[in-house]
Amino acid sequence: MKRQEIGRVAMRAHMILLSDRGHSPSEIADLHDVSHPTVYKWIDRFDEEGPEGLYDREREGRPQVLGEESKEEIERLLAGNPTEEGQNATRWTATRIAKHLKRELDVDVHEDTVRDALKQMEYSWTRPRRELPTTDPEAYRKRLEAIVEAVTEAGPETSVLVEDETWIKRFPPLRRQWQPVGEQRPVRVPEANDEAALYGTLDLTSGETCVEAYEKGRSDYTIEYLESLLQQTKGQILLVWDQATWHTSNKVTEWIENTDRTEAYLLPVRSPETNPMEDLWRELKEQVAACLERSLGALLEICHEYFKAFSPKQALQTSGVFPN
């Protein structure tokens, strides 16, 4: 048996397994990039003939190998999407490619042959990745320069605070840990994925942190947190934060303008790497939230305890402000 046929038989066997475990034909078709009739065809053949029915039968009339012209056309298609060819679809499936080859090149080929050719051409049926819009490098530079200039000119009594929020959820993130070989320790999934927003600041001069929990990120909670910062600090506050809507809203902007002790600077858009608080949040979640389901109250309590135990030197080192 050729390698291609072994792959096809394995795929068909997996279809049968998924069907036996309760997956719908639609789910199976999407997973394997096949049509719904194809799924029904192999389930029916397995029911009638057993495992022997999953092997290829002799085919007549259709080529089992695609020529170079067809492969070049496939590569051209996969560089774009079906809408560019006037089709009301967003993905090139093997079935859709086979129909295109028949229509445009008069090459009558089975979808399995297309699928084999794609694998030989080093394509795989996988999810794409999301891509954020690019950041304007000039705007990025100007914002950072303005922040650096403001920090440099800040007086000795000024608190230079970087601020950020993170979300603590009961649904625990899974991270690598030591477990017996061949075993995975179960982590209980909570009945409800309750969450809360942690507002936090790091003082770049003293290393002091201030973390408080709120229901969500919202303008009124932002103002409440800023008022708390005013009570805990003396002198001027130079505040550096991102462009979240609850930072830039009219309500928050007006509050800052009417508070003579606070001056705010916005970080470049989509640039979490410029905010040292991001590193503190990442370390927090690695230490207290991963791989263990707890109540939201218990999570928030342990988060506060974590930061209370954090020395200013540790905070500045973890955030990358000071070298270790």
Side-chain angles (χ1 to χ4, degrees):
M1 188 188 306
K2 294 182 179 180
R3 180 182 301 176
Q4 292 91 340
E5 184 179 359
I6 294 174
R8 290 195 293 269
V9 173
M11 181 183 72
R12 295 160 192 167
H14 191 230
M15 290 182 190
I16 304 304
L17 177 63
L18 292 175
S19 176
D20 184 61
R21 293 185 176 180
H23 291 270
S24 69
S26 178
E27 292 172 330
I28 299 172
D30 186 63
L31 177 63
H32 282 293
D33 177 28
V34 297
S35 63
H36 291 185
T38 297
V39 176
Y40 287 115
K41 165 188 169 182
W42 293 112
I43 292 175
D44 290 343
R45 188 179 292 184
F46 181 82
D47 289 341
E48 293 173 4
E49 304 177 24
E52 292 297 323
L54 302 181
Y55 291 91
D56 287 346
R57 292 175 178 172
E58 291 295 326
R59 297 176 183 166
E60 297 180 0
R62 285 181 170 180
Q64 295 191 24
V65 179
L66 288 177
E68 288 304 313
E69 182 183 15
S70 296
K71 290 182 179 179
E72 290 176 2
E73 179 67 2
I74 290 174
E75 288 188 332
R76 185 187 71 80
L77 293 176
L78 294 179
N81 64 74
T83 61
E84 297 170 356
E85 301 295 322
Q87 296 196 32
N88 187 21
T90 59
R91 298 181 299 168
W92 283 113
T93 63
T95 303
R96 194 166 288 124
I97 292 173
K99 290 179 179 179
H100 174 89
L101 294 177
K102 173 61 178 176
R103 182 173 60 254
E104 301 297 329
L105 301 183
D106 197 28
V107 174
D108 188 10
V109 65
H110 193 272
E111 64 183 59
D112 282 349
T113 302
V114 172
R115 196 172 289 107
D116 289 341
L118 287 168
K119 292 177 181 178
Q120 291 172 2
M121 295 162 65
E122 298 187 348
Y123 286 90
S124 61
W125 183 251
T126 53
R127 295 178 185 271
R129 60 180 174 83
R130 298 188 186 278
E131 183 179 63
L132 293 173
T134 56
T135 301
D136 180 358
E138 184 64 16
Y140 183 97
R141 182 185 63 79
K142 287 183 177 180
R143 284 201 180 275
L144 289 185
E145 285 183 351
I147 292 172
V148 170
E149 182 179 353
V151 171
T152 302
E153 296 178 353
E157 300 299 320
T158 299
S159 297
V160 180
L161 307 180
V162 288
E163 193 278 347
D164 194 38
E165 297 84 27
T166 194
W167 276 254
I168 295 295
K169 302 181 180 182
R170 286 189 62 195
F171 196 94
L174 300 182
R175 299 290 185 267
R176 294 179 183 273
Q177 62 181 21
W178 290 110
Q179 302 178 99
V181 174
E183 295 183 20
Q184 287 180 291
R185 185 176 67 83
V187 177
R188 190 162 67 92
V189 175
E191 294 182 0
N193 191 20
D194 304 328
E195 65 177 13
L198 288 183
Y199 279 65
T201 53
L202 169 66
D203 190 322
L204 296 184
T205 54
S206 70
E208 297 291 338
T209 58
C210 176
V211 175
E212 295 186 14
Y214 296 91
E215 183 181 349
K216 59 180 68 175
R218 207 168 64 188
S219 295
D220 54 344
Y221 291 140
T222 300
I223 292 173
E224 185 177 335
Y225 178 69
L226 293 177
E227 290 174 341
S228 175
L229 289 179
L230 288 178
Q231 295 174 6
Q232 298 180 50
T233 57
K234 297 179 180 180
Q236 296 297 116
I237 293 178
L238 195 159
L239 184 67
V240 180
W241 56 8
D242 62 28
Q243 300 186 40
T245 55
W246 50 87
H247 297 165
T248 60
S249 68
N250 292 335
K251 191 174 182 179
V252 172
T253 300
E254 182 179 354
W255 184 91
I256 292 175
E257 290 175 350
N258 294 331
T259 307
D260 58 6
R261 286 181 53 200
T262 304
E263 185 177 8
Y265 285 82
L266 295 175
L267 289 165
V269 66
R270 294 185 296 276
S271 57
E273 72 282 356
T274 62
N275 193 330
M277 276 301 299
E278 293 282 357
D279 294 303
L280 297 187
W281 293 141
R282 189 177 302 110
E283 183 69 13
L284 168 74
K285 292 181 179 180
E286 288 285 343
Q287 296 297 328
V288 307
C291 302
L292 181 62
E293 190 276 326
R294 307 190 231 199
S295 70
L296 185 60
L299 270 173
L300 294 177
E301 182 179 352
I302 200 67
C303 287
H304 285 296
E305 291 178 0
Y306 177 83
F307 277 103
K308 286 180 182 178
F310 227 33
S311 71
K313 181 179 179 181
Q314 284 178 304
L316 292 172
Q317 288 179 336
T318 302
S319 64
V321 177
F322 283 177
N324 292 322

